[in-house]
Amino acid sequence: MAAAFSDRFSDATRQLAAAATRANRLALENAESMFGVQLKAMERSLTATGGWLGELARGEDAVGTLSRGAQLWQDNLQRLGQAQQDMLGLGLQASRAWSELVQGCNESTADANGNSH
């Protein structure tokens, strides 16, 4: 009887460790993806802004440069909004993966205890 309990406890511990490892991996992958989205949006915005500042420094067409600056501002805001939407999508995707992980753990725990789900 003690051996059976020990075996079930060992199995449950292994399953918990595997689930924790998978959850950590999901969290890390999600953070990396979100960071990549933010970095890409920032890179595009900084590149565009740097080009506009170069035009402004040359001072050839002040009116045209200022109108392009207004368009740049709008484009940068759109990039920021798109990055936020992409990050929300990544967060939802990660939530689904974590939910599936928890559901799988609950099912395996119920199977180990001999319960139906």
Side-chain angles (χ1 to χ4, degrees), residues 73-95:
W73 175 257
Q74 183 179 4
D75 292 347
N76 284 346
L77 286 176
Q78 286 176 349
R79 273 190 283 275
L80 177 64
Q82 184 62 48
Q84 295 302 317
Q85 286 180 349
D86 292 347
M87 287 175 39
L88 181 62
L90 290 170
L92 291 173
Q93 194 175 27
S95 295

Side-chain angles (χ1 to χ4, degrees), residues 52 62-78:
W52 178 79
V63 174
T65 302
L66 290 177
S67 69
R68 282 190 295 279
Q71 181 62 44
L72 175 67
W73 175 257
Q74 183 179 4
D75 292 347
N76 284 346
L77 286 176
Q78 286 176 349

